[in-house]
Structure formats: C-alpha cells, structure tokens
Amino acid sequence: MRVTTTKSKNDESFYINLAYINDSGKSTSRIYKKLGKLSDLSKKLNTDRDGVMAWAKEQARIETEKYNKEHESISIALNPNVPVQKNRESTFNCGYLFLQSIYYSLHIQNICRNIKNRHDYQFDLNAILSDLIYSRFLNPSSKLSSFQYCQTLLEKPNYQLHDLYRALSVLAQECDYIQAELYRNSNFLHPRNTHILYYDCTNYYFEIEQERGMARYGKSKENRPNPIIGMGLFMDADGFPLSFDLHDGNLNEQKTLKKHEQRIISDFDCSKFVYCSDSGLGSKKNRILNATGGRAYVITQSLKKLKKEVRDTCLSTTQFRKIGSNRFIDINDLDEDDPEVFDSVYYKEVPYDSKTLSETLIVTYSPKYKNYQRSIREGQIERARKMMTESGKPKKNRKNPNDPARFLKKQAFTQNGELAEEELWQINEEAIETEAQYDGFYAVVTNLEADVKEIIAINRRRWQIEACFRIMKTEFSARPIYLRDDERIKAHFLICFTALLFFRILENKLNYKYTAEQLIRTMKEMKLTLLDGYGYIPSYTRTDCTDDLHNEFGFRTDYEIMKKQKIRNIIHQTKDKKKIR
C-alpha cells in the first residue's frame, strides 16, 4: 500500500491506495482508505504538509500489516483423536447478508426508529423485523421455528421469544405506515412504475374448524373446507408489490377495492393510473370508481356473460385486424398452419356504451390460444369419459365451471324411448360445441383512449400478480395460518409482503436470471463453518448464482478462509447505506 494525494481548487486530499492484480492479470490499484483533507489533517495533527505525509505513510504501513495478516495463508492443525465440543454451533448461514443489504438500503431501520417514538416498548423492533423477514425468505415456518432458525445466522438474535410475539402487535398497528414508507424508499432502488396498477384478491386457509376473527367460511381459492381470510394486493407495472389489505373470508371481493384504492391515493400519492384486474373485480361500481380523477381501467371481460347481440358481434369472424395493421380480415380465411399466422394476434373494437360509462370491448383472436384451449378441453373430455367408465356417473355437487363433469349429461330414457331405471350418463356433444365457439377469443373492456397494442400489453402483464400470490403461498408458506389473534395475523402477512418485495428487488438486481426457487435455495444453502482461532470457511457450492449475488452486492463470502474481522467488515458493509450499491 502507498499514500497518494489529489488536489482540488482549495485543498489536497490524502488516500491509501492498494495495488493488486485484477481478473485479467493486469496490475491496477484502488483506493483502500481515505485519510482526509490536508487542511483538516494539519489542524488535527498540528503539523505542516511534510508532517501530514509522514503520518500518512505510517498509517499506510499499519494498514499494510493488518491487510497482510488478514490475507496471509493459514495452516490448520486438526487432531483426529479430539472430538468436537458438545452442543457448539459451528455452521452459520450467510445468505441472509444479501437480504440485509436490501433491508438497510430500504432504510427500514429508520422506519422502526420512527415507530419507536409512537410506542412504549423495550425490545429491538429493528432486529426482530429484520430476522422475521430473513427467516420467512430462507426458512418459512412458525414464529417459534423462525426464532430458532435465526440462531443459525451469523448474527444471533439479541431479543427473547416473547419480545417477538409482542412486536407482532406493534407491526400490525403500523402496517399501513410501513407499507407506505417501503414504497417511498424502494424508489431509490428501483423507480416505481405506478402508471399502471394491478389489483387482485386471494385467500389463505386456517387449520381450524370454527370461525374466529377475520377467519370466516367463504369460497376458498384452493377449495378447502376451512375458514379463510382474504387478501387484496396492488402491484405496479413492473411486478413489484405496492400494498396489501386483509378482509373477512366471507366478504365479496368486489367490495374490497374502494377502501384499499382510497388508501393508495392518499398514502402513496398515486392518484392517476390505469387500473387493471380480472372480471371478478371489474364490477360496474369499480369501473365507475376508476373512471374519475384522471384514472382509467383495463378489465378482462367474459364473452359468455355478455348480452347475446353483443356476444354475437364479438364472435363474428369479420372486421378483425392484425395488430399493427389497419386492413380488415375475416379470421375464417386465415391459414393457421402458417407459423406467422399461428403466432399472430388479431383484434376488433366493439363499442360498449351504457347509461353511465362509455367503454370499448377489445376482442382478440389468437390461433395459438385456440390450439391451447382445445388441447386442454380434449384432456378434460377424456377425464369425463373415465368418470363414466369408473362409476357410471360423476360425483354429486360438482360446481367448478372447469370441472370435466360439465361435458357429461344424464340420459333419462333408453334407446327404446322407455324411462331408464338407472341414471345413464354420456358425453354432452352440445356442451363441447358451445364451448368450442369461444376457442381463441379473449376480451377486455376499457375506457382508456390508447393504442390497442398498448391496451393488450397492459392486460398481458396481469399474470405477474398471480405469480406474487403463488410465491407467497409456496416459497414463503404464507398458509396455513396458525396464529389466532387478528393483529398477529396482519403482522404475519406484512412480513410475507415485505419478503415478496425483497424478492422482486433481488431478481431485478440479477436481471431476472433466476427463479424464486433457485434464489431461495441458493441463499439458504450458503453457510460458513467456524474454525476457532482461524476463521470461517465456506460450506456451500460456488455457482453462477452465488457469483452473481457477490458481484451485485459488492462482497464475497466464498474465499477458502475468511478471518473473523473480514466477516465483521462484511456485516458492517451490509448495514452501511453509503456502501450499499
């Protein structure tokens, strides 16, 4: 290491530079430590420039010794006859450090500090919240198991289990504030695209039989016979979660939007946006709500539920255009064996005015989508045939509109025209033909005055909000819910929501190269083994994913051995907002 200086207009600065060989084998250098400005150092040391230079060289010598000692090769003596100490934890997870870097770059420690000013408690909310997020991401389980898992992190909890449960009530009370602050702070990591907001609802089941609190019997998305709780989720145009809210499991989802959207408008300063949802959340009241204040909407529309005259116009094969073309075509004239035609999308615009709204139906036709729907239906028809073969009739009370039993019908008379003594079931060809007429067609209703291609693109991204729910339910194990108190349940979902935001930030940093399952598995397996008196050695496989994580976050945990001070420096770096990329 050597001392270097740089001169500005008014002063001179002193640095310690480190010379090294880069990955290309070339000699280079970088600033290792900034010592300060000449004027400040002269005043502090009470000396002139020569005295400052002498002091700087001494600092360089000290830092060189420390650096060499930290990076020297180590010989480890292990005795094959000495057993390891009993009950001593020696392996620690270091994958959470990437999440810790995101945590502090979102300034959540400041959010916790502000919350502390409004509540009277003695526990460390920042430590508890961060650990709950890390454990939900890496090892989703009960709060007790999460507390135990955090004992295996490089930094062990400095709080007790009862503190964790008490913190849940505080987090629930501050849930709306935390969400709003996460949104504002996340703009520093990834500018949020709120020109389009996606909204959808799902529900989560409890392992209970009796209703309690918000846990009510309702229509379960997973068809489970348990009480459920509902969640409404807003997502921005880039797939980042924006806000969530909870509601009773038996509440109609249509009624959940207004209150939640009003909070988005007031707390998030998002007043003008395009609202996008599926038809289940596109009631007339919800469309009217989003036809004011500079907002607009793009909502899927079931062709089957349209009035007959409108439906017939939509399904008519004429007046279609290929996206990007103004020429009208009849889709019956398409050669769907042509790869270009097969992969193209065709559309027509149908005016859809009512007394209160002026809307347009965008009806699209895709040969590829048609082929997909036919293949799915053929499989369901085959399953319907097996139902008859195995039992002679389908199970009773089958109400799912996608159930294969919809292609069966009961034959009440024999071939001789006599009343049948037993129920006879057969394939319902009329039902198949009726459903086939919708193959390849898709529709959205909108009041947005924009290019059709843009409207279709807006609706296509709706799959991302379904992916958000899937990640929370699978990778983050948001259900079943074992907590009893509504406040603690709310805090549980706040932690799941925040873990989802962390994942979106993480995958964006890594350019969407890895799935949620790949990232979580990799980070969970990243462990270091402590050798007393020597340091930490990696106990995981170095992969492209670990390399990308290290490169993106600016630190490495995959050296053959790392001194304790090196690890302490990395931990400090993940908490230093000035060093976070």
Side-chain angles (χ1 to χ4, degrees):
M1 294 185 187
R2 60 188 179 87
V3 176
T4 60
T5 62
T6 59
K7 291 184 178 180
S8 61
K9 282 186 177 181
N10 303 319
D11 211 339
E12 185 177 6
S13 296
F14 285 72
Y15 303 88
I16 297 176
N17 267 33
L18 171 66
Y20 64 99
I21 305 297
N22 63 21
D23 294 338
S24 302
K26 296 181 180 180
S27 298
T28 185
S29 65
R30 63 177 174 84
I31 294 175
Y32 183 76
K33 187 175 184 180
K34 182 177 180 180
L35 297 176
K37 294 183 177 180
L38 175 60
S39 58
D40 296 334
L41 294 173
S42 295
K43 185 177 180 180
K44 179 181 177 181
L45 301 171
N46 192 26
T47 185
D48 56 11
R49 186 184 186 285
D50 291 340
V52 171
M53 179 59 78
W55 171 83
K57 289 180 177 179
E58 176 61 17
Q59 295 303 308
R61 184 192 66 78
I62 295 172
E63 291 296 337
T64 300
E65 287 184 358
K66 288 169 59 179
Y67 182 87
N68 290 338
K69 186 175 181 180
E70 187 175 314
H71 292 83
E72 65 185 356
S73 297
I74 296 174
S75 297
I76 301 175
L78 299 176
N79 192 326
N81 299 313
V82 177
V84 297
Q85 293 183 19
K86 186 181 293 184
N87 298 324
R88 187 187 69 176
E89 184 67 50
S90 59
T91 302
F92 305 92
N93 178 274
C94 64
Y96 81 96
L97 292 173
F98 306 108
L99 301 176
Q100 185 158 275
S101 182
I102 295 174
Y103 183 95
Y104 280 88
S105 64
L106 288 170
H107 305 287
I108 301 180
Q109 76 281 11
N110 295 337
I111 297 174
C112 292
R113 189 180 303 118
N114 294 337
I115 292 173
K116 173 65 176 175
N117 295 332
R118 296 194 287 267
H119 296 266
D120 182 21
Y121 55 76
Q122 302 303 316
F123 49 79
D124 187 343
L125 182 64
N126 183 55
I128 294 172
L129 177 56
S130 59
D131 280 354
L132 285 173
I133 295 170
Y134 305 157
S135 60
R136 180 57 48 181
F137 198 102
L138 299 174
N139 190 60
S141 54
S142 68
K143 299 301 175 282
L144 172 59
S145 297
S146 295
F147 177 75
Q148 294 169 341
Y149 173 76
C150 289
Q151 309 293 327
T152 68
L153 303 181
L154 282 170
E155 304 163 271
K156 292 188 176 183
N158 59 357
Y159 52 87
Q160 301 301 315
L161 179 60
H162 62 265
D163 294 326
L164 185 152
Y165 285 109
R166 291 170 181 168
L168 294 178
S169 297
V170 176
L171 292 173
Q173 294 169 37
E174 297 287 347
C175 184
D176 290 352
Y177 167 73
I178 293 173
Q179 290 181 62
E181 289 299 299
L182 284 175
Y183 162 70
R184 293 188 181 91
N185 295 345
S186 64
N187 276 283
F188 296 107
L189 294 181
H190 178 83
R192 302 297 292 270
N193 184 355
T194 56
H195 298 299
I196 305 164
L197 295 185
Y198 296 83
Y199 183 70
D200 203 353
C201 291
T202 191
N203 46 54
Y204 303 84
Y205 67 90
F206 292 74
E207 287 285 10
I208 57 175
E209 300 297 330
Q210 301 272 332
E211 293 183 331
R212 62 172 182 237
M214 299 179 75
R216 300 286 174 177
Y217 280 106
K219 188 176 180 181
S220 170
K221 302 284 186 179
E222 300 170 70
N223 299 311
R224 299 187 68 95
N226 305 91
I228 56 176
I229 189 170
M231 171 190 280
L233 178 71
F234 268 103
M235 179 193 80
D236 71 17
D238 293 331
F240 284 62
L242 187 73
S243 170
F244 82 94
D245 202 5
L246 300 178
H247 54 267
D248 290 352
N250 59 357
L251 181 66
N252 187 331
E253 292 179 350
Q254 298 274 8
K255 299 179 180 179
T256 66
L257 174 66
K258 185 175 181 179
K259 179 182 175 182
H260 196 170
E261 186 169 312
Q262 288 174 340
R263 179 162 65 86
I264 292 291
I265 294 171
S266 62
D267 294 356
F268 291 67
D269 298 324
C270 298
S271 57
K272 296 181 179 181
F273 53 82
V274 177
Y275 166 80
C276 186
S277 75
D278 64 20
S279 57
L281 290 158
S283 67
K284 191 171 184 179
K285 287 184 177 180
N286 288 346
R287 299 205 303 273
I288 292 174
L289 174 67
N290 285 290
T292 58
R295 297 188 296 280
Y297 55 84
V298 176
I299 298 169
T300 62
Q301 172 64 53
S302 170
L303 291 170
K304 297 177 182 179
K305 295 181 180 180
L306 290 172
K307 293 181 179 178
K308 183 179 185 305
E309 58 271 20
V310 179
R311 183 173 65 247
D312 290 345
T313 301
C314 292
L315 296 178
S316 171
T317 61
T318 61
Q319 298 297 305
F320 276 88
R321 286 181 282 193
K322 183 179 178 180
I323 291 181
S325 172
N326 291 321
R327 185 172 66 88
F328 288 106
I329 62 172
D330 186 328
I331 57 176
N332 278 339
D333 297 334
L334 295 174
D335 178 9
E336 297 187 0
D337 292 329
D338 183 335
E340 182 180 349
V341 172
F342 185 77
D343 291 328
S344 296
V345 176
Y346 305 84
Y347 75 94
K348 71 163 59 174
E349 297 176 77
V350 180
Y352 192 54
D353 295 345
S354 64
K355 294 181 180 179
T356 53
L357 293 168
S358 179
E359 304 170 313
T360 301
L361 276 169
I362 308 294
V363 183
T364 62
Y365 174 77
S366 165
K368 180 185 286 187
Y369 185 46
K370 175 182 179 179
N371 185 67
Y372 168 76
Q373 288 180 300
R374 283 185 173 178
S375 65
I376 294 296
R377 185 170 58 254
E378 286 171 1
Q380 292 175 334
I381 293 171
E382 183 60 31
R383 287 165 57 195
R385 287 195 176 96
K386 290 182 178 179
M387 289 178 185
M388 290 192 303
T389 303
E390 293 172 1
S391 61
K393 59 182 179 179
K395 294 180 180 178
K396 294 182 180 181
N397 300 323
R398 301 176 76 106
K399 298 181 180 180
N400 189 332
N402 293 318
D403 196 298
R406 71 187 187 278
F407 296 126
L408 296 177
K409 67 176 181 179
K410 183 169 64 173
Q411 183 72 23
F413 297 88
T414 66
Q415 294 180 350
N416 298 325
E418 299 177 355
L419 185 66
E421 295 182 2
E422 297 183 359
E423 289 185 348
L424 300 176
W425 290 83
Q426 64 183 21
I427 295 296
N428 190 339
E429 298 294 342
E430 293 179 2
I432 295 174
E433 184 178 344
T434 299
E435 190 164 308
Q437 68 179 324
Y438 298 99
D439 287 354
F441 290 95
Y442 191 88
V444 298
V445 61
T446 182
N447 67 337
L448 180 63
E449 295 182 4
D451 185 81
V452 170
K453 186 176 181 180
E454 179 185 344
I455 294 173
I456 293 173
I458 289 172
N459 184 67
R460 277 182 173 174
R461 291 194 292 270
R462 204 169 48 80
W463 67 269
Q464 290 180 308
I465 198 165
E466 296 289 348
C468 287
F469 288 140
R470 180 190 59 77
I471 291 170
M472 279 201 283
K473 289 184 176 183
T474 54
E475 274 74 21
F476 298 154
S477 300
R479 84 297 186 247
I481 307 164
Y482 297 103
L483 296 165
R484 298 178 60 89
D485 181 78
D486 280 351
E487 277 197 338
R488 292 181 175 181
I489 292 168
K490 192 170 189 177
H492 165 73
F493 282 107
L494 173 64
I495 293 160
C496 295
F497 169 86
T498 309
L500 176 64
L501 176 62
F502 277 39
F503 167 70
R504 288 301 192 205
I505 292 172
L506 190 60
E507 70 168 356
N508 176 263
K509 281 180 170 288
L510 299 178
N511 297 315
Y512 302 93
K513 287 177 62 177
Y514 306 99
T515 65
E517 192 274 333
Q518 289 173 320
L519 278 173
I520 292 170
R521 184 182 69 247
T522 296
M523 295 165 65
K524 184 175 182 178
E525 292 175 353
M526 292 182 71
K527 296 181 180 180
L528 302 177
T529 298
L530 176 63
L531 299 179
D532 275 346
Y534 299 98
Y536 295 88
I537 60 173
S539 303
Y540 62 89
T541 303
R542 180 186 171 191
T543 63
D544 288 343
C545 186
T546 62
D547 279 355
D548 288 340
L549 284 165
H550 287 135
N551 293 335
E552 179 57 41
F553 286 87
F555 62 83
R556 305 199 71 90
T557 61
D558 55 1
Y559 296 110
E560 289 184 350
I561 190 164
M562 290 167 287
K563 299 288 187 65
K564 285 187 176 181
Q565 184 57 48
K566 176 71 172 179
I567 295 298
R568 283 194 288 267
N569 290 342
I570 291 174
I571 292 173
H572 175 72
Q573 178 182 339
T574 61
K575 296 180 180 181
D576 187 350
K577 61 183 181 181
K578 295 180 181 179
K579 294 184 178 181
I580 293 171
R581 296 188 177 187

